[in-house]
Amino acid sequence: MLKGVGGSSISSYVKLPEICIEEHQLEQGFPTSVTPDYVPFQVWDSLQGLSTYVRMMLSTQALLSAIGVGEKSATVIGATFQWFLRDLTGMLGGVLFTCYQGSNLDSNAKMWRLVADLMNDLGMLMDLVSPLFPSAFVFIVCIGSLSRSFTGVASGATRAALTQHFALENNAADIAAKEGSQETLATMIGMALGMLLARITIGHSFAIWISFLSLTMFHMYANYKAVCCLSLNNLNCERCSIVLSHFLKTGQVLSPKQVSSMEHVLPLWMTPWSPKGGDSLYKRVHLGVRVSSLDSLAMINLLQSAGSHYKKEKYLLQQKGGTVRIITHKDSVAADILQSFIHALVMAKLDDQDGSISSESQSWMAKHYEVFLLKLQSSGWKTERLLSSSVVWRANWLVDYSTDKDD
């Protein structure tokens, strides 16, 4: 207790350390510093990670046994060469996968996150199968390494995209650090349980396979639940198509949470029976078309439209055979790409109706586009850019405004 002037006690100061401690805890900002889908995603993600490391002990045990660990006839140089081929295949696969799909990982983070874990399951399955086929051992483990290389690239890229999504207060580094700690904890627990399971099932092939397949099924389920928890508020091609189709019907904009239950989390060719209400309108739009790929008639129509319908826009649209092609200007920015894609979706929607598609779509854009963007923003969507594959091909054209002719 502190003494004041005249010997009086000042007992209210005693509580100050407790108040300071409480304020320090609130500065972290949880849960308002992260999106509402952060906690359920982390729960399912930790569970799937736990099952992964338990299974990893079983697959690693089988792989080392196939290489010859513990066998007198096995040579160090032989095992080293087999491991080298395995790692080399994985490295080459990772480089090729990045070149082929690198620009698509950000726009379809949910799908590629799930596909990455499925490829990891395939890789561990190959390791477990490898001892059963000694003559094809190198080929099997190389296939497994190739699968895991896809996992490494896709998982790392999508993890960065999801971390940015979770961060509401520019705290992506803090979230990444905590997620790393959670993964480390899950790894340690999974490895301990995996070692125990490997010791119990050693020499019992049936028990090993039952354990592995059961954990794999749980891993796939946990991953599916994890990505289904995500309500991403960035507009990619499919989400943009879903939101616009609903707006054209009702005049209202769906929220990110509503759209998350309608979009596909697996490639469309893997889920032809999917009951989800996703919209496939975006598949009729081709973004960033190369001008030289158009025929002469299409080029003439394109030049005419540049001087009449698209004087101020940094893009051109060409509709043919039920598809809409977008030619982007070399000076177009992210907002122009988003506008061109929405314009193309409107044109594709009007394709089945009578009348002039170009003029009707232009009229709709002039009257409703700004309103549509405002409603998107008020519903929680980010409208700064469209998440899509990189637009490689761009064109340049000049419009003479004095004579309304394309220069």
Side-chain angles (χ1 to χ4, degrees):
M1 180 179 295
L2 302 177
K3 294 291 184 178
V5 178
S8 61
S9 63
I10 307 176
S11 59
S12 59
Y13 287 173
V14 177
K15 296 297 182 179
L16 284 177
E18 296 181 4
I19 296 175
C20 292
I21 293 174
E22 183 66 23
E23 288 177 350
H24 176 70
Q25 292 174 347
L26 290 175
E27 285 176 358
Q28 297 178 1
F30 182 83
T32 57
S33 61
V34 294
T35 56
D37 54 357
Y38 174 77
V39 173
F41 174 82
Q42 290 299 331
V43 170
W44 286 109
D45 188 55
S46 298
L47 290 174
Q48 68 87 16
L50 186 66
S51 66
T52 295
Y53 292 108
V54 173
R55 289 178 303 139
M56 187 177 294
M57 298 303 296
L58 297 177
S59 62
T60 303
Q61 183 185 48
L63 179 61
L64 293 176
S65 174
I67 289 177
V69 174
E71 297 290 337
K72 295 181 179 180
S73 59
T75 62
V76 175
I77 189 64
T80 303
F81 182 69
Q82 291 172 344
W83 204 270
F84 167 75
L85 287 178
R86 173 178 176 269
D87 288 348
L88 180 62
T89 304
M91 294 176 186
L92 292 175
V95 172
L96 294 175
F97 180 75
T98 303
C99 295
Y100 181 67
Q101 285 289 349
S103 62
N104 196 34
L105 297 175
D106 191 43
S107 58
N108 292 288
K110 293 173 68 172
M111 183 192 75
W112 284 113
R113 179 58 186 262
L114 187 57
V115 170
D117 285 300
L118 295 179
M119 295 301 290
N120 191 37
D121 292 340
L122 178 60
M124 285 190 287
L125 178 63
M126 292 296 101
D127 289 345
L128 197 63
V129 167
S130 60
L132 303 179
F133 303 94
S135 60
F137 169 75
V138 174
F139 176 76
I140 293 175
V141 296
C142 285
I143 293 296
S145 181
L146 192 65
S147 299
R148 277 190 297 272
S149 70
F150 297 163
T151 301
V153 174
S155 179
T158 55
R159 184 182 297 275
L162 295 181
T163 300
Q164 292 294 333
H165 160 71
F166 292 137
L168 293 180
E169 298 180 357
N170 295 323
N171 54 339
D174 182 38
I175 292 176
K178 288 182 171 58
E179 187 175 1
S181 299
Q182 295 169 4
E183 186 174 355
T184 301
L185 180 61
T187 301
M188 293 189 296
I189 297 174
M191 291 178 67
L193 294 176
M195 292 177 65
L196 178 62
L197 181 61
R199 186 172 182 84
I200 294 174
T201 59
I202 187 170
H204 301 83
S205 299
F206 182 75
I208 292 175
W209 276 101
I210 289 296
S211 301
F212 181 85
L213 294 177
S214 299
L215 288 170
T216 300
M217 293 299 294
F218 174 76
H219 177 256
M220 295 170 63
Y221 175 76
N223 268 296
Y224 181 77
K225 294 293 291 184
V227 297
C228 286
C229 290
L230 295 172
S231 300
L232 303 183
N233 57 355
N234 297 99
L235 288 170
N236 67 358
C237 294
E238 183 179 11
R239 289 192 283 270
C240 190
S241 179
I242 293 173
V243 173
L244 180 64
S245 295
H246 188 267
F247 180 77
L248 291 174
K249 293 178 182 178
T250 65
Q252 302 298 321
V253 171
L254 296 171
S255 66
K257 187 174 183 179
Q258 291 173 311
V259 174
S260 67
S261 62
M262 303 171 65
E263 64 178 328
H264 294 86
V265 295
L266 280 174
L268 296 179
W269 61 268
M270 294 181 65
T271 56
W273 59 88
S274 176
K276 290 192 174 186
D279 194 284
S280 60
L281 188 66
Y282 68 97
K283 293 190 293 184
R284 297 165 57 184
V285 177
H286 299 164
L287 179 62
V289 174
R290 189 177 182 180
V291 175
S292 59
S293 65
L294 304 177
D295 55 38
S296 58
L297 180 60
M299 286 289 294
I300 294 175
N301 294 333
L302 206 61
L303 291 172
Q304 292 175 348
S305 64
S308 57
H309 298 297
Y310 305 100
K311 290 182 180 180
K312 298 181 180 180
E313 286 79 3
K314 295 293 182 64
Y315 61 87
L316 299 174
L317 301 182
Q318 193 258 337
Q319 187 273 339
K320 182 179 180 182
T323 63
V324 180
R325 302 175 181 179
I326 303 175
I327 296 91
T328 57
H329 195 274
K330 70 179 186 67
D331 296 330
S332 60
V333 296
D336 297 318
I337 300 297
L338 177 62
Q339 181 179 348
S340 68
F341 192 80
I342 292 176
H343 193 168
L345 288 176
V346 174
M347 184 176 287
K349 194 73 174 179
L350 295 172
D351 186 36
D352 298 331
Q353 305 176 9
D354 296 331
S356 176
I357 297 175
S358 296
S359 59
E360 288 186 18
S361 62
Q362 284 284 348
S363 176
W364 189 94
M365 291 293 291
K367 293 179 181 178
H368 304 289
Y369 180 68
E370 294 298 332
V371 177
F372 179 57
L373 285 185
L374 290 176
K375 288 191 175 183
L376 283 174
Q377 295 168 2
S378 63
S379 298
W381 291 99
K382 294 182 178 179
T383 59
E384 294 84 7
R385 60 187 290 255
L386 174 73
L387 294 180
S388 64
S389 300
S390 299
V391 180
V392 178
W393 297 104
R394 295 173 183 258
N396 185 28
W397 61 89
L398 299 174
V399 177
D400 188 348
Y401 294 98
S402 61
T403 59
D404 290 339
K405 290 182 181 180
D406 189 72
D407 195 6

